[in-house]
Amino acid sequence: MALWLTHVGVRVPNLKDSIEFHTSVLGLTVLSRESDRAYLSCGYDRSVDLCLVTGGTGLDHVAFGVTDERELDTLASRLLDHGAELVPSASPEPGVNKATRLRLPSGHLLEFVIIEPDPEQRFTYPHPAAPPMTHRSVVLLIDLDHVTLRHTDVSGLALFLQNSLGFHIPDARLMPDGQWRAAWLHVTSQHHDLAIIRGDAGETLDHVAFRVSGIETMKYLADRLASFGMTIEVGPGRHSIGGNLFTYFWTPDGNRYELSAEMAMVSNTASPTRFWGGDPGLFSPWGIRPPESFRKGS
């Protein structure tokens, strides 16, 4: 059964200012705007990569694509059987034929969507040299890469997603008392499409990660952020778990973003989870707490 990450919705305190930052600084394209939300694309296709929703900070929802209505209904039924609840969806999102939204027992909103085919799309994969949206000459962010949630019970949420939706958990990090500090999960060939890190009650989102072409683009974007007066939180560096290059920064909205490249590819065949202990290491942001002013839920 096919399942893939399509977009993430984040909450922002001021929609107009947030749109300006995402388009002028990060180079995203607005596909559609409503009074309380906006839908943006990285620019390689006309699918939504990021949804900005008015009100606070943190996660609004995570959306996964499915191939047809039968799969959508099957996956939604699995979540309902495991204790999730149906939630009325907002107005139809751009490029979506059908959507079903559910609230997980953890409180996070998860959405299944069926994407409309784009007849003008030239490639079925992100091609750095030829973005399908012909009006864009330069695209800095290739695609949405992954999302990392915060929750008080990492193992509970990770195992819920494994048991209900078939996520694989290649790696997990333990705290000294044996509880899970972080977990990395995937449903595609990428090492992680979604991760979970231990957070306080009410925290929903650790970061949203966007894929870039490599270290040179990452350096260029770091310089670009600096030119707009923004500070890099940590990076560039390379993760030990997942192997990807990273650079982290905080948006003016109060949400953390990651620039990611060279993520490790893994087999979709289930294998035992590797458990890691001890200090996360100098080149990992997993030990970094967000500033108090940003530690808010949705």
Side-chain angles (χ1 to χ4, degrees):
M1 186 172 292
L3 189 66
W4 65 94
L5 181 67
T6 60
H7 69 269
V8 173
V10 297
R11 292 194 164 271
V12 299
N14 185 297
L15 184 60
K16 180 181 178 181
D17 291 348
S18 184
I19 292 173
E20 176 65 21
F21 166 75
H22 285 85
T23 55
S24 298
V25 180
L26 298 183
L28 273 69
T29 298
V30 176
L31 298 177
S32 176
R33 179 177 176 178
E34 301 171 14
S35 61
D36 65 339
R37 65 193 61 218
Y39 301 95
L40 291 81
S41 168
C42 290
Y44 276 95
D45 56 35
R46 290 174 175 80
S47 295
V48 176
D49 294 301
L50 184 70
C51 174
L52 305 174
V53 182
T54 301
T57 60
L59 183 76
D60 185 75
H61 67 281
V62 180
F64 283 88
V66 298
T67 55
D68 55 42
E69 215 167 310
R70 178 182 176 185
E71 286 194 356
L72 187 150
D73 293 340
T74 297
L75 292 170
S77 295
R78 288 183 186 176
L79 287 182
L80 292 171
D81 290 343
H82 283 79
E85 299 177 355
L86 280 173
V87 175
S89 297
S91 55
E93 296 167 311
V96 172
N97 272 331
K98 183 177 180 181
T100 297
R101 184 172 292 191
L102 303 99
R103 187 175 301 278
L104 306 184
S106 65
H108 297 91
L109 284 179
L110 188 148
E111 185 176 58
F112 296 121
V113 298
I114 301 174
I115 304 295
E116 295 175 351
D118 182 358
E120 297 183 28
Q121 187 168 331
R122 296 164 58 196
F123 291 92
T124 57
Y125 54 89
H127 193 297
M133 297 178 73
T134 54
H135 69 283
R136 298 295 304 279
S137 58
V138 177
V139 176
L140 301 175
L141 307 180
I142 294 176
D143 204 358
L144 177 66
D145 191 79
H146 64 273
V147 60
T148 296
L149 310 178
R150 279 188 176 264
H151 189 48
T152 54
D153 182 4
V154 173
S155 62
L157 179 53
L159 294 174
F160 173 89
L161 293 170
Q162 182 185 62
N163 294 332
S164 60
L165 299 179
F167 275 80
H168 303 310
I169 310 173
D171 295 283
R173 186 177 291 284
L174 302 179
M175 297 188 295
D177 62 3
Q179 295 187 61
W180 292 26
R181 183 182 185 185
W184 293 260
L185 302 86
H186 68 92
V187 284
T188 66
S189 58
Q190 183 168 277
H191 176 269
H192 56 280
D193 306 295
L194 181 147
I196 309 161
I197 187 170
R198 186 178 178 87
D200 295 333
E203 291 185 309
T204 56
L205 178 69
D206 188 81
H207 66 269
V208 177
F210 294 95
R211 188 177 309 135
V212 298
S213 59
I215 190 65
E216 293 301 324
T217 304
M218 196 171 289
K219 288 191 298 181
Y220 171 79
L221 278 164
D223 288 340
R224 180 172 176 80
L225 291 168
S227 72
F228 280 89
M230 301 182 63
T231 302
I232 298 299
E233 181 186 25
V234 62
R238 186 182 291 279
H239 286 300
S240 53
I241 296 175
N244 55 306
L245 298 170
F246 66 81
T247 296
Y248 290 83
F249 64 95
W250 288 90
T251 73
D253 302 317
N255 294 308
R256 176 194 268 147
Y257 284 178
E258 177 189 11
L259 306 175
S260 178
E262 301 181 8
M263 176 80 75
M265 296 292 108
V266 294
S267 171
N268 268 336
T269 303
S271 58
T273 302
R274 293 185 300 174
F275 290 96
W276 303 72
D279 187 88
L282 179 63
F283 298 104
S284 171
W286 292 104
I288 296 175
R289 299 293 291 171
E292 287 295 332
S293 60
F294 289 163
R295 288 174 57 188
K296 303 173 185 177
S298 60

mmCIF file of all heavy atoms in Angstrom, residues 52 126 255:
data_model
loop_
_atom_site.group_PDB
_atom_site.id
_atom_site.type_symbol
_atom_site.label_atom_id
_atom_site.label_comp_id
_atom_site.label_asym_id
_atom_site.label_seq_id
_atom_site.Cartn_x
_atom_site.Cartn_y
_atom_site.Cartn_z
ATOM 1 N N LEU A 52 0.177 27.345 5.553
ATOM 2 C CA LEU A 52 0.300 28.283 6.664
ATOM 3 C C LEU A 52 -1.093 28.579 7.200
ATOM 4 O O LEU A 52 -1.988 28.967 6.437
ATOM 5 C CB LEU A 52 0.958 29.581 6.200
ATOM 6 C CG LEU A 52 2.316 29.454 5.502
ATOM 7 C CD1 LEU A 52 2.767 30.817 4.967
ATOM 8 C CD2 LEU A 52 3.361 28.867 6.441
ATOM 9 N N PRO A 126 11.550 15.242 -8.517
ATOM 10 C CA PRO A 126 12.172 16.577 -8.532
ATOM 11 C C PRO A 126 13.463 16.582 -9.338
ATOM 12 O O PRO A 126 14.429 15.908 -8.999
ATOM 13 C CB PRO A 126 12.447 16.849 -7.045
ATOM 14 C CG PRO A 126 11.545 15.936 -6.305
ATOM 15 C CD PRO A 126 11.425 14.707 -7.166
ATOM 16 N N ASN A 255 8.609 28.985 14.283
ATOM 17 C CA ASN A 255 8.718 27.563 13.967
ATOM 18 C C ASN A 255 10.135 27.253 13.499
ATOM 19 O O ASN A 255 10.782 28.078 12.865
ATOM 20 C CB ASN A 255 7.714 27.171 12.869
ATOM 21 C CG ASN A 255 6.274 27.303 13.339
ATOM 22 O OD1 ASN A 255 5.901 26.780 14.375
ATOM 23 N ND2 ASN A 255 5.461 28.017 12.573
#
